Amino acid sequence: MKTLIIAEKPDMGRNIAAAIDPKAKNHRSYIEGEHYIITWAIGHLIGLAEPDAYDDRYKKWNINDLPIIPDKFKLIPNRKTMDQLKVIADLAKRSDRLVNSCDAGREGQYIFSLIQRHLKLSQPVKRLWISDLTPETIRKGFEELREGSEYDNLTKAATARSEADWLIGMNGSRAFTTKHNVLLSVGRVQTPVLALIYDRQKQIEAFSSLKFFELEGHFAQGDMTYRGMWQGERMTDKEKADALAAKVKGKHGRIASYEVKDTKEYPNKLYDLTLLQREANGKYGFSAKKTLDVAQALYEKHKVISYPRTNSNYVTEQNIPEMHKTLNALQGTAYDEFVKGANRGLVHKGNKFICNPSRVEDHHAILPTNRKANGLNPDEQKLYDLVVRRFLSQFYPAAEYKVHTVITEVEGESFKTTVKELLSLGWKVIYADQKKDKPKATKGKEKEDSAEEEEIEVSEPFSILASEGVTCADAIVKEKDTQPPKHYTEGTLLKAMESAGKQIEDDDVREAMKDSGLGTPATRAATIERLKNVGYVEMQGKKILITQKGRSAIELIRGAGIELLTSPEMTGMWERRLNEIARGSASDQQFMDNVKKFATMIVDKVRIQSRASKNLFESEAPAQGKSTSGKGKAAAGERTASPSGGSRARSTGAKSASAPTGGVAVQAAPTAAQPSIIGVCPSAGCGGSIFMGRKGYGCSHYKEGCKFVIWKESYGRSLTDGQVKSLIEKGKTAKLKVTLQDGTQTEGRIVLRNETTGELAIE
């Protein structure tokens, strides 16, 4: 009998095989050597069954059948990956020991747990827990395999998370959809995130701009010139501002006070996933999902960074020697000059800014590995560069400044000047070639408007004599307007999600809030994508704007008296409780009991709510079909609920069976002001026309129940009208470059698998 190693994805399985058994034979769906058989899960092979698995009556959406609360949750295989599940089942029969080599985190633990439960695998389990995929790390990880039972509490937390999401998403979505006769998606995490966007939008709309005036004095003392801002109540009267300017212009003044102090700016913390996503969004406009996908490729495919799905900005003592090895490995690369200037003595076990084991739970901060980065595409190179520069900055001293604070008095009026004189660049030399576009790292509250005094940064020496007079060479009145709150970008929304919606700008306070954030670093990107996919938000450049459908959803939920469902703080507390379950300090059973009560309360509140008027959603396209007709069937997680019956995983290859953050995704109906007709609907007996909508190609007979739709974004491609025309007329496209479910890129034809639903496949 051999040991069966189950990895999460094919790339990881191949990496493990190459490291521990390079002579093993590749059998396509598994790799077998003398002692080991290595296979993989391709993400979620198994998920929670839908309601009709418990009772046929749940095939129809009926509010009188709610809440749906299973005594024991049933599991169901993902039909698209059943072949691989069968491979694992057959291999397990030839094995007397299992090694869980799925990703080292809650979701990876859950994927293995579902396989183990569904296939009823009883072999003893060992756990591989590693943070990067270099051969050295893999081999070391196998030398230090842990007992699978050590992670039982993490499995309990993962299971509780998935089942809680099912209960809230399934019951909430069915309740609101059937009550209001429009497809509405509700989720334990997605709804509070939508509420954040809604509340910010309302603040922006309620904002009334106020015109005000600033007075800037220009002063001279010998050859030294400087600027200062007038200190006093905000001026809304231009005549008063002009009078003050005339009063001081050309007059002599004195230095009322002059303070100089030395300050240091230390390197920014190492990246966790959320911080990396925020900065990649700010600098490159990457969506949170794109950053996660690119980071995962750098980790799995290229093996040049450590495990990216981490919530820690610190490392442990064991990582310090590895950091020094990585620094040496960067010699001779594009970063060679920075390596030469590095001070290795700054990165040591006693540096608590870097090495703080108490702040590392499952995974340390994102680090580059000692592997050479070759063959990176442009986006991978950009993200890798962010990680490497942040890493290198830890080997450099603090930037040093002399901060001059001057109060200048002219004709009884005070002006404040703050000059930050650079003494030594320190770690900022790493970013000297990017100074213009480098995102500013602010600590404490960001300045809300320009009425605050300006800080002037200079590289040349600044010095004045406090005992000598000055002249106000000029006085300039500047007209300003107060600014409304800014729309969320993906970067700022991630920041709000991390701190459970509390607008905390101080990094240390936000750090303390991490255990009660919305979702996890690994799932926040999926939540944002889901809000886009269900039509609740749309992008305008980097801005996230709420749609009418999104507004109505929040207003209906709050109107039903279920404010709790939109509360980031409450959901953050749930996430913290899941972390406590993972640590063994809280009961998963008690958590689930509370979730069941909450799901029941949602249904009870919606049942007595008045039905919304039809014009509440007028600016939105009518949904395809109506769940209230009793033909709908909900699907948990990221699966798409087909409004008029059945459900299917999105053809883009997304993980389907139990998405990380819950909620039922709702199909957006194709629409256009003047629809472009592509052809005749291929669904038997329909006779409708296929037209292009915002997210896909749908049938003009959707009101009559036709559920045919082809999503525009399928298999890594944005389908053209011509390709869709070919699909509905010929059943297939020409050969294309496509992306499979496991992320593999290949060539093949996209074919129309189901003429009734528009489901696609690859040939």
mmCIF file of all heavy atoms in Angstrom, residues 72-100:
data_model
loop_
_atom_site.group_PDB
_atom_site.id
_atom_site.type_symbol
_atom_site.label_atom_id
_atom_site.label_comp_id
_atom_site.label_asym_id
_atom_site.label_seq_id
_atom_site.Cartn_x
_atom_site.Cartn_y
_atom_site.Cartn_z
ATOM 1 N N LYS A 72 -28.905 17.778 8.857
ATOM 2 C CA LYS A 72 -27.523 17.452 8.512
ATOM 3 C C LYS A 72 -27.327 17.815 7.048
ATOM 4 O O LYS A 72 -28.123 17.432 6.196
ATOM 5 C CB LYS A 72 -27.248 15.966 8.729
ATOM 6 C CG LYS A 72 -25.802 15.576 8.474
ATOM 7 C CD LYS A 72 -25.573 14.100 8.778
ATOM 8 C CE LYS A 72 -24.104 13.739 8.541
ATOM 9 N NZ LYS A 72 -23.855 12.293 8.790
ATOM 10 N N PHE A 73 -26.294 18.561 6.763
ATOM 11 C CA PHE A 73 -26.074 19.029 5.397
ATOM 12 C C PHE A 73 -25.585 17.890 4.503
ATOM 13 O O PHE A 73 -24.679 17.144 4.867
ATOM 14 C CB PHE A 73 -25.065 20.181 5.383
ATOM 15 C CG PHE A 73 -25.657 21.493 5.807
ATOM 16 C CD1 PHE A 73 -25.740 21.831 7.151
ATOM 17 C CD2 PHE A 73 -26.148 22.380 4.869
ATOM 18 C CE1 PHE A 73 -26.295 23.035 7.551
ATOM 19 C CE2 PHE A 73 -26.706 23.589 5.253
ATOM 20 C CZ PHE A 73 -26.783 23.919 6.596
ATOM 21 N N LYS A 74 -26.207 17.793 3.330
ATOM 22 C CA LYS A 74 -25.807 16.775 2.367
ATOM 23 C C LYS A 74 -24.744 17.336 1.425
ATOM 24 O O LYS A 74 -24.740 18.531 1.118
ATOM 25 C CB LYS A 74 -27.025 16.315 1.557
ATOM 26 C CG LYS A 74 -28.083 15.607 2.386
ATOM 27 C CD LYS A 74 -29.254 15.150 1.516
ATOM 28 C CE LYS A 74 -30.311 14.441 2.355
ATOM 29 N NZ LYS A 74 -31.450 13.986 1.522
ATOM 30 N N LEU A 75 -23.877 16.440 0.957
ATOM 31 C CA LEU A 75 -22.817 16.824 0.028
ATOM 32 C C LEU A 75 -23.155 16.321 -1.362
ATOM 33 O O LEU A 75 -23.784 15.275 -1.528
ATOM 34 C CB LEU A 75 -21.478 16.254 0.481
ATOM 35 C CG LEU A 75 -21.008 16.623 1.882
ATOM 36 C CD1 LEU A 75 -19.645 16.011 2.174
ATOM 37 C CD2 LEU A 75 -20.955 18.135 2.066
ATOM 38 N N ILE A 76 -22.714 17.068 -2.366
ATOM 39 C CA ILE A 76 -22.955 16.664 -3.747
ATOM 40 C C ILE A 76 -21.711 16.967 -4.578
ATOM 41 O O ILE A 76 -21.106 18.035 -4.435
ATOM 42 C CB ILE A 76 -24.192 17.386 -4.328
ATOM 43 C CG1 ILE A 76 -24.546 16.840 -5.705
ATOM 44 C CG2 ILE A 76 -23.979 18.887 -4.363
ATOM 45 C CD1 ILE A 76 -25.892 17.310 -6.213
ATOM 46 N N PRO A 77 -21.291 16.028 -5.437
ATOM 47 C CA PRO A 77 -20.114 16.281 -6.276
ATOM 48 C C PRO A 77 -20.413 17.333 -7.338
ATOM 49 O O PRO A 77 -21.548 17.459 -7.802
ATOM 50 C CB PRO A 77 -19.833 14.921 -6.931
ATOM 51 C CG PRO A 77 -20.608 13.925 -6.149
ATOM 52 C CD PRO A 77 -21.792 14.657 -5.601
ATOM 53 N N ASN A 78 -19.391 18.080 -7.715
ATOM 54 C CA ASN A 78 -19.480 19.000 -8.836
ATOM 55 C C ASN A 78 -19.432 18.155 -10.107
ATOM 56 O O ASN A 78 -18.447 17.468 -10.370
ATOM 57 C CB ASN A 78 -18.301 19.980 -8.780
ATOM 58 C CG ASN A 78 -18.305 20.963 -9.933
ATOM 59 O OD1 ASN A 78 -19.041 20.809 -10.901
ATOM 60 N ND2 ASN A 78 -17.457 21.974 -9.829
ATOM 61 N N ARG A 79 -20.518 18.196 -10.890
ATOM 62 C CA ARG A 79 -20.596 17.278 -12.024
ATOM 63 C C ARG A 79 -19.501 17.529 -13.062
ATOM 64 O O ARG A 79 -19.159 16.633 -13.828
ATOM 65 C CB ARG A 79 -21.972 17.377 -12.696
ATOM 66 C CG ARG A 79 -22.326 18.748 -13.229
ATOM 67 C CD ARG A 79 -23.751 18.767 -13.782
ATOM 68 N NE ARG A 79 -24.130 20.083 -14.251
ATOM 69 C CZ ARG A 79 -23.778 20.591 -15.419
ATOM 70 N NH1 ARG A 79 -23.005 19.890 -16.225
ATOM 71 N NH2 ARG A 79 -24.182 21.788 -15.781
ATOM 72 N N LYS A 80 -18.945 18.748 -13.083
ATOM 73 C CA LYS A 80 -17.899 19.045 -14.063
ATOM 74 C C LYS A 80 -16.570 18.387 -13.717
ATOM 75 O O LYS A 80 -15.696 18.262 -14.560
ATOM 76 C CB LYS A 80 -17.710 20.561 -14.194
ATOM 77 C CG LYS A 80 -18.870 21.259 -14.884
ATOM 78 C CD LYS A 80 -18.505 22.692 -15.228
ATOM 79 C CE LYS A 80 -19.596 23.334 -16.067
ATOM 80 N NZ LYS A 80 -19.240 24.702 -16.488
ATOM 81 N N THR A 81 -16.400 18.018 -12.457
ATOM 82 C CA THR A 81 -15.114 17.438 -12.042
ATOM 83 C C THR A 81 -15.284 16.055 -11.426
ATOM 84 O O THR A 81 -14.435 15.604 -10.663
ATOM 85 C CB THR A 81 -14.412 18.380 -11.041
ATOM 86 O OG1 THR A 81 -15.307 18.656 -9.944
ATOM 87 C CG2 THR A 81 -14.008 19.686 -11.687
ATOM 88 N N MET A 82 -16.375 15.373 -11.782
ATOM 89 C CA MET A 82 -16.635 14.059 -11.198
ATOM 90 C C MET A 82 -15.577 13.028 -11.590
ATOM 91 O O MET A 82 -15.276 12.111 -10.821
ATOM 92 C CB MET A 82 -18.028 13.567 -11.596
ATOM 93 C CG MET A 82 -19.140 14.266 -10.818
ATOM 94 S SD MET A 82 -20.777 13.577 -11.097
ATOM 95 C CE MET A 82 -20.638 12.006 -10.259
ATOM 96 N N ASP A 83 -15.009 13.188 -12.778
ATOM 97 C CA ASP A 83 -13.971 12.244 -13.213
ATOM 98 C C ASP A 83 -12.779 12.284 -12.264
ATOM 99 O O ASP A 83 -12.232 11.237 -11.898
ATOM 100 C CB ASP A 83 -13.520 12.559 -14.640
ATOM 101 C CG ASP A 83 -14.580 12.197 -15.672
ATOM 102 O OD1 ASP A 83 -15.534 11.477 -15.305
ATOM 103 O OD2 ASP A 83 -14.459 12.641 -16.829
ATOM 104 N N GLN A 84 -12.387 13.499 -11.871
ATOM 105 C CA GLN A 84 -11.239 13.612 -10.977
ATOM 106 C C GLN A 84 -11.577 13.076 -9.586
ATOM 107 O O GLN A 84 -10.729 12.467 -8.920
ATOM 108 C CB GLN A 84 -10.773 15.066 -10.885
ATOM 109 C CG GLN A 84 -9.504 15.283 -10.074
ATOM 110 C CD GLN A 84 -8.295 14.551 -10.645
ATOM 111 O OE1 GLN A 84 -8.252 14.216 -11.826
ATOM 112 N NE2 GLN A 84 -7.299 14.289 -9.797
ATOM 113 N N LEU A 85 -12.806 13.271 -9.147
ATOM 114 C CA LEU A 85 -13.228 12.724 -7.856
ATOM 115 C C LEU A 85 -13.163 11.199 -7.879
ATOM 116 O O LEU A 85 -12.750 10.566 -6.907
ATOM 117 C CB LEU A 85 -14.642 13.196 -7.529
ATOM 118 C CG LEU A 85 -15.202 12.783 -6.168
ATOM 119 C CD1 LEU A 85 -14.343 13.348 -5.037
ATOM 120 C CD2 LEU A 85 -16.648 13.239 -6.019
ATOM 121 N N LYS A 86 -13.567 10.608 -8.999
ATOM 122 C CA LYS A 86 -13.510 9.148 -9.135
ATOM 123 C C LYS A 86 -12.061 8.667 -9.101
ATOM 124 O O LYS A 86 -11.749 7.612 -8.529
ATOM 125 C CB LYS A 86 -14.183 8.719 -10.434
ATOM 126 C CG LYS A 86 -14.322 7.198 -10.587
ATOM 127 C CD LYS A 86 -15.097 6.842 -11.842
ATOM 128 C CE LYS A 86 -15.327 5.331 -11.926
ATOM 129 N NZ LYS A 86 -14.093 4.551 -11.904
ATOM 130 N N VAL A 87 -11.160 9.456 -9.712
ATOM 131 C CA VAL A 87 -9.730 9.112 -9.685
ATOM 132 C C VAL A 87 -9.248 9.036 -8.234
ATOM 133 O O VAL A 87 -8.569 8.087 -7.829
ATOM 134 C CB VAL A 87 -8.901 10.152 -10.477
ATOM 135 C CG1 VAL A 87 -7.404 9.997 -10.189
ATOM 136 C CG2 VAL A 87 -9.167 10.012 -11.971
ATOM 137 N N ILE A 88 -9.618 10.049 -7.433
ATOM 138 C CA ILE A 88 -9.195 10.068 -6.029
ATOM 139 C C ILE A 88 -9.768 8.863 -5.288
ATOM 140 O O ILE A 88 -9.073 8.209 -4.494
ATOM 141 C CB ILE A 88 -9.624 11.386 -5.355
ATOM 142 C CG1 ILE A 88 -8.912 12.568 -6.006
ATOM 143 C CG2 ILE A 88 -9.317 11.348 -3.857
ATOM 144 C CD1 ILE A 88 -9.370 13.927 -5.501
ATOM 145 N N ALA A 89 -11.039 8.557 -5.545
ATOM 146 C CA ALA A 89 -11.673 7.417 -4.876
ATOM 147 C C ALA A 89 -10.948 6.117 -5.206
ATOM 148 O O ALA A 89 -10.694 5.282 -4.317
ATOM 149 C CB ALA A 89 -13.143 7.332 -5.287
ATOM 150 N N ASP A 90 -10.606 5.922 -6.475
ATOM 151 C CA ASP A 90 -9.918 4.693 -6.888
ATOM 152 C C ASP A 90 -8.512 4.617 -6.296
ATOM 153 O O ASP A 90 -8.073 3.546 -5.848
ATOM 154 C CB ASP A 90 -9.845 4.629 -8.418
ATOM 155 C CG ASP A 90 -11.215 4.416 -9.056
ATOM 156 O OD1 ASP A 90 -12.123 3.950 -8.334
ATOM 157 O OD2 ASP A 90 -11.368 4.730 -10.251
ATOM 158 N N LEU A 91 -7.812 5.758 -6.283
ATOM 159 C CA LEU A 91 -6.444 5.767 -5.749
ATOM 160 C C LEU A 91 -6.445 5.508 -4.246
ATOM 161 O O LEU A 91 -5.527 4.872 -3.717
ATOM 162 C CB LEU A 91 -5.769 7.109 -6.050
ATOM 163 C CG LEU A 91 -5.521 7.432 -7.529
ATOM 164 C CD1 LEU A 91 -4.952 8.840 -7.678
ATOM 165 C CD2 LEU A 91 -4.570 6.417 -8.165
ATOM 166 N N ALA A 92 -7.485 6.022 -3.569
ATOM 167 C CA ALA A 92 -7.561 5.846 -2.113
ATOM 168 C C ALA A 92 -7.666 4.371 -1.733
ATOM 169 O O ALA A 92 -7.204 3.954 -0.662
ATOM 170 C CB ALA A 92 -8.746 6.624 -1.550
ATOM 171 N N LYS A 93 -8.254 3.569 -2.618
ATOM 172 C CA LYS A 93 -8.392 2.132 -2.340
ATOM 173 C C LYS A 93 -7.041 1.425 -2.343
ATOM 174 O O LYS A 93 -6.902 0.332 -1.791
ATOM 175 C CB LYS A 93 -9.314 1.490 -3.377
ATOM 176 C CG LYS A 93 -10.757 1.967 -3.287
ATOM 177 C CD LYS A 93 -11.594 1.434 -4.435
ATOM 178 C CE LYS A 93 -13.017 1.994 -4.382
ATOM 179 N NZ LYS A 93 -13.814 1.586 -5.561
ATOM 180 N N ARG A 94 -6.050 2.069 -2.959
ATOM 181 C CA ARG A 94 -4.702 1.469 -3.015
ATOM 182 C C ARG A 94 -3.759 2.114 -2.007
ATOM 183 O O ARG A 94 -2.553 1.955 -2.083
ATOM 184 C CB ARG A 94 -4.110 1.627 -4.426
ATOM 185 C CG ARG A 94 -4.935 0.955 -5.512
ATOM 186 C CD ARG A 94 -4.115 0.748 -6.772
ATOM 187 N NE ARG A 94 -3.958 1.939 -7.584
ATOM 188 C CZ ARG A 94 -2.790 2.481 -7.916
ATOM 189 N NH1 ARG A 94 -1.670 1.975 -7.437
ATOM 190 N NH2 ARG A 94 -2.741 3.540 -8.694
ATOM 191 N N SER A 95 -4.319 2.892 -1.085
ATOM 192 C CA SER A 95 -3.483 3.650 -0.155
ATOM 193 C C SER A 95 -3.876 3.355 1.287
ATOM 194 O O SER A 95 -5.054 3.165 1.591
ATOM 195 C CB SER A 95 -3.628 5.153 -0.425
ATOM 196 O OG SER A 95 -3.407 5.448 -1.792
ATOM 197 N N ASP A 96 -2.870 3.347 2.155
ATOM 198 C CA ASP A 96 -3.158 3.129 3.576
ATOM 199 C C ASP A 96 -2.888 4.365 4.419
ATOM 200 O O ASP A 96 -2.993 4.331 5.634
ATOM 201 C CB ASP A 96 -2.354 1.938 4.114
ATOM 202 C CG ASP A 96 -0.852 2.147 3.977
ATOM 203 O OD1 ASP A 96 -0.436 3.192 3.428
ATOM 204 O OD2 ASP A 96 -0.089 1.261 4.402
ATOM 205 N N ARG A 97 -2.508 5.460 3.761
ATOM 206 C CA ARG A 97 -2.265 6.714 4.474
ATOM 207 C C ARG A 97 -2.529 7.874 3.532
ATOM 208 O O ARG A 97 -2.269 7.788 2.334
ATOM 209 C CB ARG A 97 -0.827 6.771 5.002
ATOM 210 C CG ARG A 97 -0.590 7.934 5.959
ATOM 211 C CD ARG A 97 0.780 7.876 6.606
ATOM 212 N NE ARG A 97 1.843 8.257 5.660
ATOM 213 C CZ ARG A 97 2.958 8.924 6.023
ATOM 214 N NH1 ARG A 97 3.152 9.231 7.287
ATOM 215 N NH2 ARG A 97 3.863 9.219 5.138
ATOM 216 N N LEU A 98 -3.061 8.965 4.068
ATOM 217 C CA LEU A 98 -3.345 10.158 3.270
ATOM 218 C C LEU A 98 -2.495 11.324 3.749
ATOM 219 O O LEU A 98 -2.207 11.442 4.944
ATOM 220 C CB LEU A 98 -4.822 10.552 3.390
ATOM 221 C CG LEU A 98 -5.877 9.496 3.055
ATOM 222 C CD1 LEU A 98 -7.275 10.067 3.315
ATOM 223 C CD2 LEU A 98 -5.751 9.037 1.614
ATOM 224 N N VAL A 99 -2.111 12.176 2.816
ATOM 225 C CA VAL A 99 -1.450 13.432 3.163
ATOM 226 C C VAL A 99 -2.281 14.569 2.567
ATOM 227 O O VAL A 99 -2.448 14.651 1.344
ATOM 228 C CB VAL A 99 -0.006 13.514 2.641
ATOM 229 C CG1 VAL A 99 0.601 14.884 2.978
ATOM 230 C CG2 VAL A 99 0.846 12.407 3.239
ATOM 231 N N ASN A 100 -2.826 15.409 3.426
ATOM 232 C CA ASN A 100 -3.574 16.584 2.988
ATOM 233 C C ASN A 100 -2.564 17.654 2.582
ATOM 234 O O ASN A 100 -1.934 18.285 3.434
ATOM 235 C CB ASN A 100 -4.468 17.083 4.123
ATOM 236 C CG ASN A 100 -5.205 18.366 3.756
ATOM 237 O OD1 ASN A 100 -5.100 18.865 2.644
ATOM 238 N ND2 ASN A 100 -5.947 18.902 4.715
#
